[in-house]
Amino acid sequence: MENEKLVGFAGKKALKLISLLVFVSLFSFWLVEQSPIDPVRAYVGEMAISPEHKAQLEEYWGVNVPPQEKYFNWAVNILQGNFGTSLIYKRPVIDVILERFSVSLVLMATSWLISGILGFILGVIAGMKRGTLMDKIIKTYCYILAATPTFWLALLLLMVFSVYLGWFPIGLSVPIGATADNVTIFDWLYRLILPAVTLSLLGVAQIAMFTRKKLIEVLSSDYVLFAKARGEKGLDLVLRHGVRNIALPAITLQFLGFSELFGGAILVEQIFSYPGIGQATVQAGLSSDVPLLLGIVLFSAIFVFTGNLIADIIYEFVDPRIRQQEAAQ
Amino acid sequence: MIRKREVKNVSEEILNVSNISISFLQYTRGLRQNLLKVITDLTLNISSGEVIAVLGSSGSGKSLLAHAILGILPKNAQLSGEIKYKGEILDQKRKEELRGKEIALIPQSVNFLDPLMKVSDQVIGEVEDEEDKKRKKAHQREVFEKYGLSEEVDDLYPFQLSGGMARKVLVSTALLTNPKLVIADEPTPGLDDKAIEETLSHIRKMADDGVGVLLITHDINAALKVADKVAIFYSGYVIEIANVGDFSGDGERLKHPYTHALYNALPQNGFKLYKGHQPLHGEIPVGCVFNSRCPHPTESCVMVNPDLMEIGGTYVRCNKYQQSNLYG
Amino acid sequence: MSSATATLKKGLFLGLNLRQKTILIISLTSILLFGILISSLILGGEALPTNFGSKNLAPSLAHPFGTDWMGRDMFIRTVEGLGLSLIVGFVASSLSTILAIVLGIFSSLSKKTDAFVSWLVDLFLSIPHLLFIILISIGLGGGVVGVIAGVALTHWTSLTRVVRAEIKQLKTQEYIHISSKMGKSKLWIAIKHMMPHLIPQILVGVILMFPHAILHEASVTFLGFGLSPHEPAIGIILSESMKYLAAGYWWLAFFPGLSLLIVVLAFDMIGDNIGLLMDPKSAHD
């Protein structure tokens, strides 16, 4: 019974992923093709160039190839694992993406964890102490944070900590002049802190408010009422009945936030000059580096899909209440 | 009829509820506010070994009485009046000290159990350490055993309990701490006859062992089977507290016209139904609350709301009796 | 038992109950937003005077937000930029709303259309918002049109879901059944019967969509994909300010961003409070 369900689930999801990738790639490809931006002009800028040079560049950027052919070539290549070569980095797209993504992954994972844990704790405190000053403070903090432009907060932190206090470097993941081997883990962590703090601060708001709302719901439930009638109270009550009942929904929410996380990373990396996939996206977009851009689009789709998939798995297989409903059938 | 054994211990007054009112501040459309009075004047007393049934229709707010005694009313509730336990006034602090220990609740259904916790783990409540936990679990096992619940039940989740098992779990949980006062909130809905009998016999046994029981129900027959006294609840008021024995014959010993009508409406008494309905929470009239449906109203009934008066061990709230007392 | 009535009278707004407080908040914030919009329209006409004599001045009474490297008053620039954000946000949100309503109604017509809309929502949510807007922006050559299209095409999803859910619920109502039996077409029912119920929900949804639209537009412009550098958009102002950060000209970034934050907050507050007025359940908080 369980196995049947598992196989059905996996099958549906795989199909969904494939159809998603196909449509996303078609749509993105079409969009980029529509672009009136002349990639050669964007690349060359205001410089004057000879017609031969121009023809060369045009060939390089694939300007004269008809779109269907381009897409077909590209798709065939993708299926063979060849994502093409990045026009601005002059390296295979797949290498660029993997390298940059691992750098971003550290940033995103750190912020994701911190905002998740901190947000959960704040949400529990606010829910427990509903109506008190503490609750109001947390609510206000989250409310304002949710309205804060990511890039502005990043700029502020940059100004305060890097420019004014000089605690952190203004940019780059490794110090200039130092080779990759010379860079210690501390150097790296150092440059990770500000972008991670920015993303964490912003991520806290959503999960805190959700946790708070769910905890309030749980605390007004019948079973908590009965627990109170039996003499349970205070933090013990919340820990025994509250946390358990909201932990899963909260974790699920975190996994559904992969999309926002990626978006936030794009902005934050740009400001802190953190060489991750976000920065690469901006560069690729500004320079019409089609192979790289499309590669990133596909990759981000897979990334978001993974987050949603994990959330679904938690919902379908881990939450005992769902199993409860099925047992009742 | 469930036979009552002789009460062994000397009876003492456990609970005195005097003139309790419960209102709610509610928000309606557009953030307007509304003060809703659900219970207006509720008075009753419970002694040890006694089962007092509070009989009222569903949704009339009787459960609130239970919540008021336990101190678990919602935040927007306003409570006035006096509740005394063993002679001392219950303030919120005292309620919190007593609940789950000397005062216990038997809730309506298994929805009142945490769906994500195993039965044994949750009913033993808070534990201080491993020692404490072991002791509490051992005691819980004993009590559950007495009620016919085997060891497997301990590790089940609430949704895995059958209806009958759930009932027994809820009843035995209340008795874990040897309470002096047990409040049974609607223990019979949704049960078959056999389960009802069983539950009621448990309640009777509790009383026989010296516990005072407040039985809140809308099921008249259940109340009549097991209670010593029955308090009739109508539109937020207790209008009569009668001995259970008075519910016999033609009901001539029942004093309030509503109680009379209630008795006569029972299927076994001819199913004589009454016109109209109880005034809803927002429509409580001035004067006697039963006035518009009363077969023998007096002139004062329109304006004067009678107090609950004692007459020979029973209580009634009716102008007819006020007047006759007045004239000797 | 509780002092519920007492609590309501305490706090900042002595003597006002929750309803009056809510209306007050809505009025004040609306005035603020209109003020900004109108000021920016009034100011927008003339070119901002450049005065190289007063380059990069820190905030003072004469220039509350300081001046930039061309001597332009930052306060005026900010207000203009905000006005621009408001207009762009408005246009994008309106388009998004129309799209959401159309798709919401469309999804209610049959199981197939419902599945289609569902699939479409999933598709549009499959890649991060910002990335999507960047792509659309590139596709349309950047600039105002690109940004508006980009934002409009990414923000319809949540509102569509709301509309779809509401319609699903309304469909279970009796009067809908009766209309249908009387021979009215599904489309007619959708428009005549359901719209009146949907309007309040849609209103709140749109107002709350605004701040998202504005933030996304500013972000995209900041990155270089949106409005062109010739326009005084907040995103442009902030991206330019980055060049001067190291020099310590903090006001170039601080005030414009703060103002954007305030505008976004204003919308959030209006939207949430209107929602409160319409739904008594949430008022108990």
Side-chain angles (χ1 to χ4, degrees), chain C:
Chain C
M1 174 178 173
S2 85
S3 49
T5 358
T7 336
L8 286 168
K9 294 202 175 114
K10 285 195 290 199
L12 289 177
F13 302 89
L14 292 156
L16 292 176
N17 65 23
L18 194 60
R19 176 185 168 84
Q20 292 166 322
K21 193 167 91 163
T22 309
I23 295 183
L24 188 65
I25 292 177
I26 295 178
S27 317
L28 286 178
T29 42
S30 305
I31 292 175
L32 175 70
L33 290 174
F34 269 112
I36 295 177
L37 186 64
I38 294 177
S39 319
S40 85
L41 288 174
I42 295 175
L43 294 168
E46 330 120 33
L48 206 50
T50 63
N51 182 353
F52 288 91
S54 17
K55 271 200 299 184
N56 294 318
L57 292 177
S60 62
L61 277 177
H63 299 283
F65 284 8
T67 61
D68 68 1
W69 62 95
M70 285 217 259
R72 294 178 291 192
D73 180 87
M74 284 303 291
F75 181 71
I76 297 180
R77 278 199 89 199
T78 303
V79 171
E80 281 186 0
L82 288 177
L84 196 57
S85 290
L86 285 173
I87 295 174
V88 170
F90 178 72
V91 177
S93 299
S94 312
L95 288 174
S96 221
T97 305
I98 295 173
L99 197 56
I101 295 178
V102 166
L103 284 174
I105 294 182
F106 185 62
S107 79
S108 71
L109 294 179
S110 83
K111 257 202 160 70
K112 279 213 179 117
T113 59
D114 190 47
F116 173 69
V117 171
S118 214
W119 172 82
L120 206 62
V121 168
D122 280 340
L123 187 65
F124 273 73
L125 287 180
S126 61
I127 63 173
H129 266 185
L130 215 52
L131 188 53
F132 215 152
I133 300 177
I134 291 175
L135 277 179
I136 295 179
S137 181
I138 292 176
L140 293 169
V144 185
V145 178
V147 166
I148 292 181
V151 173
L153 286 171
T154 44
H155 283 80
W156 56 267
T157 49
S158 24
L159 194 59
T160 306
R161 277 197 176 141
V162 167
V163 171
R164 189 165 151 255
E166 271 297 303
I167 292 183
K168 266 203 175 116
Q169 213 223 9
L170 282 174
K171 274 211 235 181
T172 62
Q173 300 286 351
E174 269 191 38
Y175 65 92
I176 304 287
H177 279 216
I178 294 173
S179 268
S180 167
K181 293 278 183 276
M182 275 170 53
K184 300 291 180 187
S185 78
K186 283 190 171 152
L187 195 59
W188 188 92
I189 293 177
I191 297 177
K192 275 282 187 169
H193 281 307
M194 297 189 179
M195 282 305 282
H197 277 267
L198 294 173
I199 301 275
Q201 293 260 21
I202 293 179
L203 185 66
V204 175
V206 173
I207 295 179
L208 289 176
M209 190 199 284
F210 243 102
H212 284 271
I214 293 177
L215 279 178
H216 272 124
E217 176 272 311
S219 306
V220 163
T221 303
F222 173 81
L223 291 174
F225 295 100
L227 300 166
S228 78
H230 300 299
E231 309 182 35
I234 297 281
I236 300 287
I237 294 177
L238 283 166
S239 88
E240 285 174 342
S241 79
M242 269 186 76
K243 300 189 202 125
Y244 298 90
L245 276 187
Y249 300 148
W250 57 274
W251 57 91
L252 294 176
F254 183 71
F255 289 111
L258 184 66
S259 317
L260 187 62
L261 169 60
I262 292 175
V263 164
V264 170
L265 265 182
F267 274 106
D268 277 340
M269 285 172 73
I270 294 177
D272 287 337
N273 280 297
I274 289 186
L276 273 186
L277 277 181
M278 295 189 309
D279 174 21
K281 275 181 282 168
S282 57
H284 282 290
D285 219 7

Side-chain angles (χ1 to χ4, degrees), chain A residues 17-27 71 298:
Chain A
L17 178 62
I18 294 172
S19 75
L20 198 71
L21 290 178
V22 167
F23 279 97
V24 165
S25 65
L26 268 173
F27 190 51
Y71 183 74
L298 283 182

Side-chain angles (χ1 to χ4, degrees), chain A residues 58-128:
Chain A
E58 282 185 353
E59 206 192 300
Y60 180 64
W61 293 87
V63 168
N64 295 320
V65 180
Q68 306 91 295
E69 200 183 305
K70 255 200 243 177
Y71 183 74
F72 186 69
N73 290 338
W74 179 78
V76 166
N77 281 331
I78 296 278
L79 289 172
Q80 293 172 344
N82 174 14
F83 279 71
T85 310
S86 161
L87 299 171
I88 47 179
Y89 295 105
K90 313 239 186 336
R91 290 162 58 211
V93 163
I94 195 105
D95 288 344
V96 175
I97 291 183
L98 286 177
E99 183 186 285
R100 294 211 151 217
F101 186 68
S102 41
V103 172
S104 287
L105 196 61
V106 177
L107 171 63
M108 290 198 281
T110 316
S111 330
W112 187 80
L113 277 172
I114 295 178
S115 65
I117 295 173
L118 193 61
F120 190 76
I121 293 176
L122 284 179
V124 167
I125 295 177
M128 263 181 75

Side-chain angles (χ1 to χ4, degrees), chain B residues 36 44-45 60 91 116 129 136 142 172 187 231:
Chain B
L36 199 68
L44 53 80
N45 303 311
S60 56
D91 56 9
L116 295 184
D129 51 36
K136 287 193 170 150
E142 250 188 79
S172 40

